[in-house]
Amino acid sequence: MSLAQRYASLSQLHEDPRLIAFAATPRGRALTWLVATLLLAPNSMVFSISPILALVLIAPQWRTQILCLGSIFVLDRQLTSNGLSGTGELAAMYAFIVGLLYLTYLAARSYRSLPHLVQRNSQIVLHALIGALMALSFLLPDSLTGEGRPAAAAIRSVRLLLPYFVWRMGYILLAGRRGSAAGSSFLDHLLYCLPVYGSTGVPYGKGYDHLKRCRADEPLALARSALAGIKLLVLVWLWVAARDALTLFVYGDPVYRLGSVLELDVFHLPRLGEVIANPGGVPYVLIWVSMFLELVDFTLSLAGPGHTVVGCLRLFGFNVFRNTYKPLLAQSIVDFWNRFYHYFKELLVEFFFFPTYVSVFKSYPRLRIFTAIMAAAFFGNLYFHALRDTQELVDLGLGATIAHIGPRSVYCFLLAVGIFFSMMREQQRRGAAAVPQEQSPLRAFRRIAGVWLFYAIIHIWNARPIELTITQRTRFFFSLFGL
Amino acid sequence: MSRDERRRRLTAFLETIRRPDVELDTIDEQDGLVGSGLIDSLALLEIITFLETEFGMDFSESGVDPDELSSIAAILDLIERRGR
């Protein structure tokens, strides 16, 4: 067997029929649980995932109920990590959050009986309501929102947690609009609103419709999904190790693992943020190296946590697509966008792109696509981050907020323009009349290099620290070309 | 219009947006269009435009559910339910 064949068979272990058959047996399931627990050991999630996974592997038919049991811990962790501890305060917030989700579920279940205007614009109505609640929480006087006040818990939770829940509530309403919520239970939605498998403000695995479609129910399908999950958890170790190596050997920064600090003073490549702040102090070649490695580092920083969440989802029998799938090998800008942060892209597509696309400029195809891309990659992208960081932006004040949003606006605008041209280009390559392109390694390399170049450059306006001004970043960009 | 006639018009359209290296007759009616490699996910937009112009469908009312566009059979079912 050649090296390539060995690699292929190793990387496709979860497709091996004999292994799948073994993983479906009681001993195989026990081994799956043990391996998953060991792989998750360095992650604090292991304490909630491991017992829940054991229960799911024993009684997969009760998966939804078991995962919702885990949701209680998720809500508790979210609330207590926000510094809330009083019994009354916590109880009020449990009731507020679960009540809000339940009301959304009821609205989705009876979607057809909602007023026509609300049905047509349910996402806008949802965001208007959430926005109003958020605004109210900031306008109320301290005498109402202060510690120990009866309303304080609910008001503070509005500010801290609604940006997290609003997209999940959006998916509940999407299920209502598509008619699938009518046959669902509240628990079907609770499991992704309070996901025990972990997540960020972006709902990994999306909502009810997607999870239902990806749900493996047969024993062999369940075993295959769990094996695919194990494979992702193994990849987490690889990507974490790769990022640690980059941090230690290239950036010369310390790495904290298992309570120890690893430090190597071998080489100190400046981070992109440092280069932007002081471009004159860094050799020209190293500036470009720093830009490209920032892209690699950023990708690795996303791949590790994303694989953990998707790996856990697969272990629970939801065989969903990876969040990050080899974006650094993408051969077009739009393909990179699709592979880099899949569930964020899906969020933007479902809540911004499609609604715009089906509503405007139907007689002007290019303008229609351009507007929809701007709605998603520019406006939606900015809106998501502004909503997520509302508390931080209010704390910063108006001037600092504008300074913070400015560079991100440039980043999102350039991203949207790049995606538009890439989409137009891809369109021309389709159809029976199109000539299949020869995929020579050199051609592939050139296309991949072009994608790297584009994303490395636009990342100039997205690099940390946020204190870097739009002027500094733009000046740095021009300095790359000797201007 | 019969299902066969709708299928004929749909497959004629898919011929114009498929990847040049994947033949249409290699996939079944139930196969995923994107999953089978026949089209990329961007081509869904062109399918939406095709359904609007050829079958008078209005997605601004119902929204887009990518599942309903996932295979030839799913698209034909959608046209049957909502087409003109």
Side-chain angles (χ1 to χ4, degrees):
Chain A
M1 194 187 277
S2 72
L3 201 62
Q5 284 172 322
R6 272 177 203 277
Y7 171 75
S9 73
L10 194 67
S11 67
Q12 295 302 310
L13 265 183
H14 60 293
E15 301 287 1
D16 185 333
R18 282 179 308 171
L19 195 60
I20 294 172
F22 171 70
T25 63
R27 278 168 68 184
R29 277 183 279 170
L31 195 60
T32 299
W33 173 82
L34 184 65
V35 173
T37 302
L38 288 173
L39 287 169
L40 283 167
N43 195 317
S44 62
M45 278 170 72
V46 72
F47 299 110
S48 50
I49 296 282
S50 184
I52 296 283
L53 178 61
L55 291 174
V56 168
L57 289 170
I58 291 167
Q61 69 276 25
W62 294 102
R63 199 179 329 171
T64 304
Q65 290 79 356
I66 294 166
L67 291 177
C68 287
L69 194 68
S71 295
I72 298 168
F73 297 107
V74 175
L75 183 56
D76 189 68
R77 193 172 57 216
Q78 279 186 339
L79 296 178
T80 50
S81 68
N82 285 325
L84 302 153
S85 53
T87 313
E89 206 175 38
L90 279 170
M93 270 197 258
Y94 289 141
F96 177 74
I97 295 295
V98 176
L100 207 59
L101 296 175
Y102 190 68
L103 282 176
T104 313
Y105 162 70
L106 288 182
R109 213 176 57 172
S110 318
Y111 199 84
R112 300 285 170 250
S113 54
L114 294 174
H116 184 68
L117 193 71
V118 177
Q119 280 188 48
R120 264 195 81 119
N121 305 290
S122 55
Q123 299 297 333
I124 295 174
V125 171
L126 170 68
H127 281 263
L129 288 173
I130 295 299
L133 280 173
M134 297 269 293
L136 187 68
S137 78
F138 284 105
L139 292 173
L140 287 172
D142 286 348
S143 58
L144 270 174
T145 58
E147 194 75 29
R149 301 283 174 182
I155 292 165
R156 206 177 308 158
S157 70
V158 164
R159 209 178 290 173
L160 298 171
L161 296 173
L162 284 190
Y164 176 89
F165 285 113
V166 69
W167 304 107
R168 288 161 170 88
M169 291 158 79
Y171 274 118
I172 300 177
L173 289 178
L174 266 189
R177 186 170 193 172
R178 291 168 181 167
S180 57
S184 66
S185 73
F186 178 54
L187 296 188
D188 289 325
H189 299 276
L190 195 64
L191 78 87
Y192 64 86
C193 286
L194 293 164
V196 71
Y197 44 82
S199 198
T200 62
V202 175
Y204 287 34
K206 308 208 282 182
Y208 173 67
D209 294 317
H210 190 67
L211 289 175
K212 189 181 170 196
R213 194 169 66 248
C214 298
R215 184 180 163 119
D217 284 317
E218 297 300 316
L220 288 180
L222 200 59
R224 182 179 170 276
S225 176
L227 286 173
I230 296 277
K231 177 184 154 183
L232 275 194
L233 295 185
V234 171
L235 283 179
V236 171
W237 279 73
L238 285 178
W239 298 142
V240 167
R243 191 163 188 234
D244 283 355
L246 192 65
T247 307
L248 270 174
F249 295 109
V250 179
Y251 290 118
D253 292 336
V255 168
Y256 300 90
R257 289 280 170 255
L258 301 170
S260 308
V261 184
L262 296 169
E263 229 166 341
L264 276 176
D265 199 10
V266 181
F267 187 71
H268 182 80
L269 180 77
R271 300 261 178 191
L272 181 59
E274 297 169 46
V275 179
I276 293 171
N278 181 25
V282 183
Y284 187 70
V285 174
L286 285 188
I287 289 177
W288 281 98
V289 172
S290 177
M291 282 174 62
F292 286 123
L293 283 183
E294 183 83 7
L295 185 66
V296 175
D297 188 48
F298 195 28
T299 305
L300 289 173
S301 74
L302 203 59
H307 280 9
T308 305
V309 174
V310 175
C312 290
L313 256 168
R314 289 180 175 181
L315 281 165
F316 292 137
F318 296 97
N319 204 0
V320 298
F321 195 69
R322 288 188 203 178
N323 187 50
T324 304
Y325 183 70
K326 302 178 182 175
L328 297 175
L329 296 178
Q331 295 190 29
S332 70
I333 290 169
V334 70
D335 195 26
F336 182 99
W337 195 54
N338 203 19
R339 293 158 169 238
F340 179 66
Y341 197 165
H342 180 71
Y343 290 107
F344 183 50
K345 186 232 51 172
E346 285 291 293
L347 182 151
L348 295 177
V349 166
E350 296 215 65
F351 293 117
F352 296 93
F353 185 90
F354 278 143
T356 310
Y357 186 78
V358 298
S359 304
V360 299
F361 303 125
K362 290 186 182 177
S363 307
Y364 305 92
R366 285 188 174 210
L367 184 60
R368 189 183 190 187
I369 291 179
F370 182 76
T371 312
I373 292 171
M374 277 291 160
F378 177 65
F379 174 76
N381 199 336
L382 267 182
Y383 175 73
F384 175 90
H385 287 92
L387 190 65
R388 187 195 65 183
D389 301 335
T390 302
Q391 179 70 64
E392 194 184 337
L393 295 178
V394 169
D395 290 343
L396 283 171
L398 185 65
T401 297
I402 292 168
H404 173 55
I405 288 180
R408 178 128 199 123
S409 307
V410 177
Y411 168 80
C412 293
F413 179 77
L414 295 175
L415 175 67
V417 171
I419 289 169
F420 172 71
F421 283 109
S422 179
M423 276 175 89
M424 292 294 104
R425 220 172 147 200
E426 293 301 305
Q427 260 187 351
Q428 289 165 2
R429 293 194 174 124
R430 295 200 206 107
V435 182
Q437 290 184 340
E438 188 202 341
Q439 270 296 352
S440 69
L442 183 64
R443 187 186 186 90
F445 176 79
R446 270 174 38 204
R447 295 187 68 176
I448 292 169
V451 173
W452 279 49
L453 182 65
F454 173 78
Y455 280 98
I457 284 181
I458 67 167
H459 194 63
I460 290 171
W461 288 275
N462 192 38
R464 290 187 170 268
I466 60 169
E467 288 77 20
L468 290 169
T469 64
I470 196 166
T471 314
Q472 276 177 302
R473 293 168 194 263
T474 309
R475 195 176 291 155
F476 171 74
F477 167 72
F478 284 115
S479 77
L480 289 173
F481 307 99
L483 300 170
Chain B
M1 193 188 297
S2 68
R3 188 173 173 103
D4 279 348
E5 172 58 16
R6 282 194 288 262
R7 189 183 199 287
R8 193 191 61 71
R9 285 168 70 173
L10 176 61
T11 49
F13 170 71
L14 290 175
E15 273 293 337
T16 68
I17 61 164
R18 70 173 172 81
R19 284 183 168 151
D21 50 348
V22 183
E23 296 294 334
L24 188 57
D25 52 16
T26 59
I27 68 157
D28 289 333
E29 198 171 289
Q30 307 287 343
D31 286 345
L33 295 173
V34 177
S36 64
L38 184 79
I39 61 170
D40 56 50
S41 55
L42 304 175
L44 288 182
L45 301 182
E46 290 168 66
I47 295 177
I48 292 170
T49 309
F50 167 74
L51 294 174
E52 286 172 341
T53 51
E54 286 285 312
F55 297 99
M57 291 172 62
D58 182 7
F59 289 93
S60 61
E61 192 72 23
S62 60
V64 175
D65 181 356
D67 278 357
E68 293 180 329
L69 308 172
S70 60
S71 66
I72 291 174
I75 298 171
L76 291 174
D77 290 344
L78 178 67
I79 298 169
E80 253 167 51
R81 282 200 311 275
R82 292 183 19 206
R84 197 163 44 200

Coordinates of all heavy atoms in Angstrom, one line a residue, chain A residues 17 34 56 104 152 155 189 214 217 230 278 280 294 304 307 319 329 342 359-360 403 432 442 455 468 476:
Chain A
P17 N -16.4 -0.1 6.9 CA -17.6 -0.8 7.4 C -17.4 -1.7 8.6 O -18.3 -1.8 9.5 CB -18.0 -1.7 6.1 CG -17.3 -1.0 5.0 CD -16.1 -0.3 5.5
L34 N -15.0 6.1 25.8 CA -13.7 6.3 26.5 C -12.7 7.1 25.7 O -12.1 8.1 26.2 CB -13.1 4.9 26.7 CG -11.7 4.8 27.5 CD1 -12.0 5.3 29.0 CD2 -11.2 3.4 27.5
V56 N -26.3 9.2 26.0 CA -26.7 9.2 24.6 C -26.3 7.9 24.0 O -27.1 7.3 23.2 CB -26.1 10.4 23.8 CG1 -26.3 10.2 22.3 CG2 -26.8 11.7 24.3
T104 N -41.0 32.2 21.7 CA -40.5 32.2 20.3 C -41.0 30.8 19.6 O -41.5 30.8 18.5 CB -39.0 32.3 20.2 OG1 -38.6 33.3 21.0 CG2 -38.5 32.5 18.7
A152 N -33.5 43.5 38.4 CA -32.1 43.6 37.9 C -31.7 42.5 37.1 O -31.0 42.6 36.1 CB -31.2 43.9 39.1
I155 N -33.1 42.4 33.5 CA -32.6 43.5 32.8 C -31.1 43.2 32.3 O -30.7 43.4 31.2 CB -32.7 44.8 33.5 CG1 -34.2 45.1 33.7 CG2 -32.0 45.9 32.8 CD1 -34.5 46.2 34.7
H189 N -35.9 22.4 20.1 CA -35.3 23.7 19.9 C -34.4 24.1 21.0 O -33.4 24.7 20.8 CB -36.4 24.7 19.7 CG -37.3 24.5 18.5 ND1 -36.9 24.8 17.2 CD2 -38.4 23.8 18.4 CE1 -37.8 24.4 16.4 NE2 -38.8 23.8 17.0
C214 N -29.7 16.1 9.6 CA -28.4 15.5 9.8 C -28.4 14.4 10.9 O -27.4 13.8 11.2 CB -27.3 16.5 10.2 SG -27.0 17.7 8.9
D217 N -30.2 8.1 13.0 CA -31.0 7.3 13.9 C -30.7 5.8 14.0 O -30.8 5.2 15.0 CB -32.5 7.5 13.6 CG -33.0 8.9 14.1 OD1 -32.6 9.3 15.2 OD2 -33.6 9.6 13.3
I230 N -15.0 11.4 16.5 CA -13.7 11.1 17.1 C -12.6 11.6 16.2 O -11.6 12.2 16.7 CB -13.6 9.5 17.3 CG1 -14.6 9.0 18.2 CG2 -12.1 9.1 17.6 CD1 -14.2 9.1 19.7
N278 N 4.1 49.5 13.7 CA 5.5 50.0 13.5 C 6.1 49.3 12.2 O 7.1 48.5 12.3 CB 6.4 49.7 14.7 CG 7.8 50.2 14.6 OD1 8.1 51.1 13.9 ND2 8.7 49.5 15.3
G280 N 8.1 50.4 9.9 CA 9.5 50.7 9.6 C 10.5 49.9 10.3 O 11.6 49.7 9.8
E294 N -0.2 35.3 9.9 CA -1.4 35.7 10.7 C -2.7 35.0 10.1 O -3.5 34.6 10.9 CB -1.6 37.2 10.5 CG -2.7 37.8 11.3 CD -2.4 38.2 12.7 OE1 -1.2 38.0 13.1 OE2 -3.3 38.5 13.4
G304 N -9.6 24.7 15.7 CA -9.6 23.9 17.0 C -10.9 23.9 17.7 O -11.6 22.8 17.8
H307 N -13.8 22.4 15.5 CA -13.8 20.9 15.4 C -14.3 20.3 16.7 O -14.9 19.3 16.7 CB -12.4 20.5 15.2 CG -11.9 20.6 13.7 ND1 -12.7 21.2 12.8 CD2 -10.8 20.1 13.1 CE1 -12.1 21.1 11.6 NE2 -10.9 20.5 11.8
N319 N -24.7 14.3 12.3 CA -23.5 14.3 11.4 C -23.5 15.6 10.5 O -23.7 15.5 9.3 CB -23.6 13.0 10.5 CG -22.2 12.6 10.0 OD1 -21.2 13.3 10.3 ND2 -22.2 11.6 9.2
L329 N -6.7 25.6 1.5 CA -6.5 25.0 0.1 C -7.6 25.5 -0.8 O -7.7 25.0 -2.0 CB -6.6 23.5 0.3 CG -5.5 22.8 1.1 CD1 -5.7 21.3 1.2 CD2 -4.1 23.1 0.5
H342 N -17.8 28.2 8.4 CA -19.0 27.7 7.7 C -20.3 28.2 8.3 O -21.2 28.7 7.7 CB -19.0 26.2 7.6 CG -20.2 25.6 6.9 ND1 -20.3 25.8 5.5 CD2 -21.2 25.0 7.3 CE1 -21.5 25.2 5.2 NE2 -22.0 24.7 6.2
S359 N -35.9 39.5 -2.7 CA -36.7 40.7 -2.6 C -36.4 41.9 -3.5 O -37.2 42.7 -3.8 CB -36.6 41.2 -1.1 OG -36.9 40.2 -0.2
V360 N -35.2 42.0 -4.0 CA -34.8 43.2 -4.7 C -34.2 42.9 -6.1 O -33.6 41.8 -6.3 CB -33.7 44.0 -3.9 CG1 -34.3 44.5 -2.6 CG2 -32.4 43.2 -3.7
A403 N -14.2 54.5 16.0 CA -12.8 54.1 15.7 C -12.7 52.6 15.6 O -11.9 52.0 14.8 CB -11.8 54.6 16.7
A432 N -22.7 23.2 -19.5 CA -22.2 22.1 -20.3 C -21.2 22.7 -21.4 O -20.3 22.0 -21.8 CB -23.3 21.5 -21.0
L442 N 0.6 23.6 -10.7 CA 1.0 25.0 -10.8 C -0.2 25.9 -10.8 O -0.2 26.9 -10.1 CB 1.9 25.2 -12.0 CG 2.5 26.6 -12.1 CD1 3.4 26.9 -11.0 CD2 3.2 26.8 -13.5
Y455 N -7.0 37.4 1.3 CA -7.4 37.4 2.7 C -6.3 38.0 3.6 O -6.7 38.6 4.6 CB -7.8 36.0 3.1 CG -9.2 35.7 2.6 CD1 -9.4 34.9 1.4 CD2 -10.3 36.1 3.3 CE1 -10.7 34.7 1.0 CE2 -11.6 35.9 2.8 CZ -11.8 35.2 1.7 OH -13.1 35.0 1.2
L468 N -5.7 49.9 16.9 CA -5.1 50.4 15.6 C -6.1 51.1 14.8 O -7.2 50.6 14.6 CB -4.6 49.2 14.8 CG -3.4 48.5 15.4 CD1 -3.1 47.2 14.6 CD2 -2.1 49.3 15.3
F476 N -0.4 51.5 6.3 CA 0.4 50.2 6.3 C 0.2 49.5 4.9 O 1.1 49.1 4.3 CB 0.0 49.3 7.4 CG 0.6 47.9 7.3 CD1 2.0 47.7 7.5 CD2 -0.1 46.8 6.9 CE1 2.6 46.5 7.4 CE2 0.4 45.6 6.8 CZ 1.8 45.4 7.0

